Structure formats: structure tokens, C-alpha cells
Amino acid sequence: MTEKSKRPVLAIMRPKRYLKDSVELAKDMGFEPLAVPMIELEGMKDEFFDGFVERVMAGKSDYVIFTSANGIDFTLDKIPADEHEKFIAALNSTKVIAIGPTTCKALDDMGINVLGMPGVYSSEGLVEYLCSDVKGKVIDTARSFYGSTLLIDGLKSCGAEIHETNVYTLTKPDGQEQAEFIRKVLAGEVDVFAFTSSMMVRNFFEHATDQVTKSDVIGIMNKSVVAAIGEPTAQTIESYGVRVSVTPGKFTFEEILKKVMDTLN
């Protein structure tokens, strides 16, 4: 740990919209946060979006799955404000499924009734949770362009008719704050790295290897605690030659921090 803080310095690289809450949570749990976005969210509208809205409004969707709070945010962004209440009412006539508690709370806050969520907060968990009930059913999901194919393929194999629309994508922030963040990493000022997506890992390495060699980055990270939100992210980290110390049982940022603190103590 750094002499300055006497607390473990935690690298938080989440999108800007999550940084404030993430920093407050980290401080409350005993970390010294170093927060700079290594990934950003950007709204998009693909050719399947209008069909998704039409099915929901016409009562043709049996299930609607949201795999993040961003999914509903970016969905509503594309619907005229005076149509929001009607769309939410239509959603409440379907079976709305949330991937986990954060998404569930966001939906609930908007007045959207959530039927349930899986015990394991992942695409695989969703497939296992729904598989026995969805044969012949119409399922819609609005999510990231980089969403796992496991959800779509898995539900198809369960016999569902599944439609996907991508309502946002992920981009790489590139500026002075990212460069300065990497300089602090290379100076050994970070004790813990918390990665919440594979793209975050890739963006981090692209920034880092702009300044030093890949082997230098790996050496620095392998002297730290490296945490991954789930197995796909862990596999991406390990593909770079970095050891993953922490993968929580539940796929939330808070669970990462709890597990890291348990490891440090």
C-alpha cells in the first residue's frame, strides 16, 4: 500500500456515469480510489429497435430481458418522452427479467415490475433460470452491442424465439486523464485493479502499452491484486499473462470490493 494513504489504492476504471457512486462505495469500504474511465457508453439504434418497441407495445413479447440498467436507460432515450408511460405500461404486461439486483432496482425505480432474476447474475445464469419456461415463447432483449452471445444462443437452444436489439455500445476514452492514470499505474501507485468488463481490460492494455512494453505492464500488475467481475473478464485478463486474484461469486462491483478486502485482510 502507498505510504501516503495507508489504505489500498484501488483503480476504478468504470464509465463516467458510475464513477461518483463507485468512488463513494470504495471509500466507505476502506479503499483509496483512483478513478478514471477506461470505457465509455454511447447510445446507438440498430435496425431491430423499432420491431422491439412494436412487439412490446402490441403485447407480442412474452418476456423482456434487461442485462443492465443502461439497457433500459438507452431504450427510453430512443422513445419520445410523452410515450414513456405507455411503453412502461406495455412492459408491465410482459414478464420483465433483470440480470441482477442493480438492474432490478433501476427498473423498479422507473415503475417497471420485475418478475425475477437469476441466482447467478450472468448470461449463463439467465439461460438456466428461464430455460424450462420459454419454449415457444417470444423473448426480447435490449442491451449492449458487446453483449455475450451466450444469452441469445442459450435461449434459442431452449426453444425460445428471441429478438435482440443493441441500444448502446462501448467506446475507448482517450485523453490526458487516461495517460496520467497509466503513469501512476506504472509508478507502482496502484494496489488493486478492479475490472468489470473484457473491453475495459483491452482498453487499459492499449493505453498502457502506448507508454511501456506489455511485459512491463504484466510485471507491475502481477505485484498487485487483480479482480475480475466474472469468468469472461477473468479469462480476458489471463490471456494477457496477468494473474487474477479475485472473482466474486456475485457479479456486482460491491461484491468485487468485498472479496478484495477479504483477500487483503
Side-chain angles (χ1 to χ4, degrees), residues 193 195 205 217-228 233-247:
F193 295 86
F195 289 99
F205 265 91
V217 182
I218 293 168
I220 288 165
M221 295 182 73
N222 279 337
K223 294 175 183 174
S224 307
V225 174
V226 178
T233 304
Q235 289 173 359
T236 302
I237 296 167
E238 289 168 348
S239 74
Y240 284 89
V242 174
R243 292 187 300 271
V244 175
S245 312
V246 173
T247 306

Side-chain angles (χ1 to χ4, degrees), residues 106-166:
L107 291 164
D108 185 61
D109 287 347
M110 293 179 188
I112 298 169
N113 301 324
V114 177
L115 174 69
M117 61 185 183
V120 177
Y121 313 146
S122 66
S123 294
E124 298 95 323
L126 282 166
V127 172
E128 183 177 353
Y129 176 64
L130 291 171
C131 193
S132 62
D133 298 319
V134 297
K135 185 175 182 180
K137 302 295 186 181
V138 176
I139 301 177
D140 272 284
T141 183
R143 61 184 192 149
S144 161
F145 179 79
Y146 290 94
S148 168
T149 59
L150 292 172
L151 177 63
I152 307 303
D153 295 342
L155 291 174
K156 280 182 180 176
S157 72
C158 296
E161 176 189 328
I162 183 158
H163 301 272
E164 176 188 24
T165 182
N166 301 133

